[in-house]
Amino acid sequence: MSAGFGFSPVPKWRSKGVIGVALAGALIAETFVVASEAYAAPGEETPSQEEAATRGPDGVLQAPDAATASTIARLEGERVEIVGERTERSSSWALPDGTFAAGMASGPIWVRQGDGDGTSAADWAAVDLTLEQASDGTVAPKAHPGGLELAGEGTPEDGLLVAVHGPDGETVGLQWTEALPAPRLEGPRAIYPDVQPGVDMVVEATRTGYEQFFVLTDRPVAGEAPDLSLTVSSEGLTATPDADGGVAFSTPDGEVVGTSGTPLVWDAVVDAERQHPVTEPWSADAQAPSAFAPFPDWGNGEPQENSASDPVQPAPQPDSTAPPVAPGADVVEPEAGAGRPVSEEATAAGATPLLPLTDSVEVTAAGVVELALTPDAEFLADPETTYPVVVDPDFYAEDLFDTWVQSGTSVDQSGSDELRLGTWNDGATVARSFIHTDLTGLRGKQILSAELALYEWHSFSCAPANWEVWDTGLVSTATRFSSPVPWYGRWEVSSQTTGYSASCGDGFVRADVTNLFQSWVNHNAGVVSMGLKAENEADNLGWKRFNSADYGAGIRLCPLQHSAGNSGHALDGSSADPAGPVHVVGDPVDACPGS
């Protein structure tokens, strides 16, 4: 993904925040690692290790190109990163047996810097969302792919609280014309206290943008609710509202590159259900998922070779499980008590419904959106509402898409920082998730092994509970639980479960998707969709919550091992690749170069 706005050659922005571009919370990222037989250009002199290899901060050897990396990997007996094949969303390695590995994420992991050609580690900075204050008082992350900028103390000179810029001059910004207090910085968050009496404002940096919150710290006096109005402005884009209170932002040729979801409201008790409650000080994850998923034991044996006599493998097929029964219509009206605790069971499951503000958006010009975000007076005055209260309009940029749907809920969840599946109330409420993956770079290859790995941080218990991976039709921001999404076939069932207690702490769970990926590759698939559901949608043991691609760490990944075809071994198909086996491994998007 290009630095500057979160654009990418395939899908575009992905973010969460009232403006700007962000990967709200979650980076789940599809990551693949590819390996193929080592090669060197004919007549090319073997470089010396001293001349070509360095070690990165993670201790992994680095080299500028595949030929050099392959030679060093054989000599040293360890993997070597091919720095020249980094992209904003991927890394590649040469392995000792002559194969290659590469990891591709659905969100940005690298930011290009300087004027180099990309073959030196100095040409790249790992995405770092930690906010810092510049000498002029403005605030920005240490390394952000969208060039995110936040205003400091005082009245913003350009009239913008937040701004993110695109590579072709596009801009999305949140207007602010009044004096701001000095922000308090906590990791990726900037807290602006008392922007109005009894109202704090929080801006949180995410992978491709930001998320913005109003926090009502005190119950307002009857009839004196604060005016929580905002103006989202953009340059080079057109804003179009939808029926649910969201807004789509499009380029002049009609391509949707970003979407603002329905603004949502919740109280302090519900806020505690989040991984990082907005009403509490920011704290790093107790088990921060910042390192690679364990690197597979690939590439340490004898060099592998393709053989024309290798037997042709039968085309993989899904099992015979019948598709899920088509659900009935969604409940359009918000559940009574939404935004506040509705039951002890819902609170324990982290599944309390949020209050949508479906009538809060008005597009007043081609690229200008007015947001009226003051919650309903009845909600604010209700004694069951626990303060502080959080108001969260969002904006997320289109990228490799993921979302969750839930019966009884008609709000777009594609900007959510989580995925969920199963039930917490014996089947009365059921959730399912969908994940898009781009397989263009795997065309022509034989998939030898593949896994889907998800970072699970909440489960009903530590007991193993089966969950399924299906091949489904593509979904969108309009997809709801009752939408007629085709469920083509079930390809895998996994019982891996974690994220309940110290006995089974937060961590990655995996499902074998080798046959599913091979089937897709056999059909020259590009962007595909995996549907995730509990095997038994009436059993509370199947309730699970994972990080989505909008979360800042511990993102989705797909470890793959495959043979090389005619395209490049880089997963985006950007480089030439000799014949030979290829491995693919997935890693958290925020630590692609990890060991």
Side-chain angles (χ1 to χ4, degrees), residues 60-415:
V60 176
L61 285 168
Q62 299 174 335
D65 56 69
T68 304
S70 297
T71 300
I72 296 170
R74 288 199 303 270
L75 291 173
E76 294 298 315
E78 59 182 288
R79 63 189 174 104
V80 179
E81 185 189 0
I82 310 166
V83 177
E85 292 188 2
R86 279 183 185 174
T87 70
E88 286 79 0
R89 295 192 301 172
S90 68
S91 290
S92 300
W93 299 266
L95 304 180
D97 69 348
T99 64
F100 291 97
M104 185 174 71
S106 66
I109 54 177
W110 298 110
V111 177
R112 279 296 300 270
Q113 59 183 11
D115 299 322
D117 61 3
T119 62
S120 169
D123 299 333
W124 302 88
V127 172
D128 188 341
L129 304 181
T130 305
L131 294 179
E132 296 182 316
Q133 193 157 34
S135 57
D136 64 356
T138 59
V139 175
K142 290 183 177 180
H144 192 279
L148 176 66
E149 298 174 323
L150 282 65
E153 184 178 9
T155 303
E157 293 184 4
D158 58 1
L160 294 177
L161 167 68
V162 183
V164 183
H165 310 284
D168 299 319
E170 305 90 345
T171 299
V172 175
L174 176 60
Q175 294 183 9
W176 195 273
T177 57
E178 301 177 2
L180 288 165
R184 183 174 73 253
L185 306 184
E186 298 178 358
R189 282 183 183 166
I191 298 94
Y192 298 84
D194 293 319
V195 293
Q196 292 187 49
V199 179
D200 294 345
M201 183 162 55
V202 178
V203 180
E204 183 175 323
T206 55
R207 284 276 157 183
T208 58
Y210 69 92
E211 185 170 10
Q212 182 267 342
F213 310 89
F214 279 124
V215 179
L216 283 69
T217 57
D218 301 304
R219 190 185 305 274
V221 175
E224 298 182 12
D227 178 13
L228 304 183
S229 298
L230 290 173
T231 300
V232 179
S233 61
S234 63
E235 296 182 10
L237 301 171
T238 298
T240 305
D242 64 32
D244 295 325
V247 179
F249 291 84
S250 305
T251 61
D253 61 4
E255 182 181 12
V256 176
V257 295
T259 304
S260 175
T262 306
L264 300 170
V265 181
W266 61 89
D267 78 355
V269 177
V270 178
D271 191 53
E273 298 176 9
R274 297 171 57 92
Q275 288 194 74
H276 290 287
V278 180
T279 58
E280 298 177 11
W282 176 272
S283 61
D285 297 311
Q287 296 177 336
S290 58
F292 260 160
F295 196 86
D297 187 21
W298 292 339
N300 296 317
E302 295 297 319
Q304 304 180 43
E305 297 180 0
N306 285 342
S307 172
S309 61
D310 287 345
V312 177
Q313 300 297 317
Q317 298 291 330
D319 66 25
S320 57
T321 302
V325 176
D330 292 323
V331 176
V332 176
E333 295 298 322
E335 184 175 336
R340 292 156 293 196
V342 295
S343 69
E344 293 182 1
E345 293 79 9
T347 299
T352 302
L354 307 183
L355 177 65
L357 302 179
T358 56
D359 299 321
S360 62
V361 174
E362 181 183 3
V363 176
T364 58
V368 179
V369 180
E370 299 292 343
L371 300 175
L373 302 172
T374 302
D376 181 84
E378 182 179 352
F379 176 89
L380 295 177
D382 193 326
E384 297 299 319
T385 300
T386 303
Y387 282 75
V389 164
V390 181
V391 183
D392 173 34
D394 70 22
F395 175 92
Y396 58 90
E398 297 296 326
D399 205 325
L400 291 180
F401 190 83
D402 63 12
T403 190
W404 58 270
V405 297
Q406 186 168 289
S407 59
T409 300
S410 59
V411 175
D412 170 32
Q413 300 291 348
S414 58

Side-chain angles (χ1 to χ4, degrees), residues 456-482:
E456 185 176 6
W457 56 274
H458 184 107
S459 62
F460 193 83
S461 76
C462 288
N466 286 355
W467 50 283
E468 304 174 339
V469 181
W470 288 69
D471 175 12
T472 73
L474 298 180
V475 297
S476 71
T477 57
T479 301
R480 302 293 183 267
F481 192 81
S482 62

Side-chain angles (χ1 to χ4, degrees), residues 520-543:
W520 278 330
V521 170
N522 288 350
H523 292 87
N524 291 320
V527 177
V528 295
S529 177
M530 286 179 280
L532 310 178
K533 61 181 291 291
E535 183 179 55
N536 184 345
E537 294 186 321
D539 185 352
N540 292 349
L541 288 178
W543 178 249

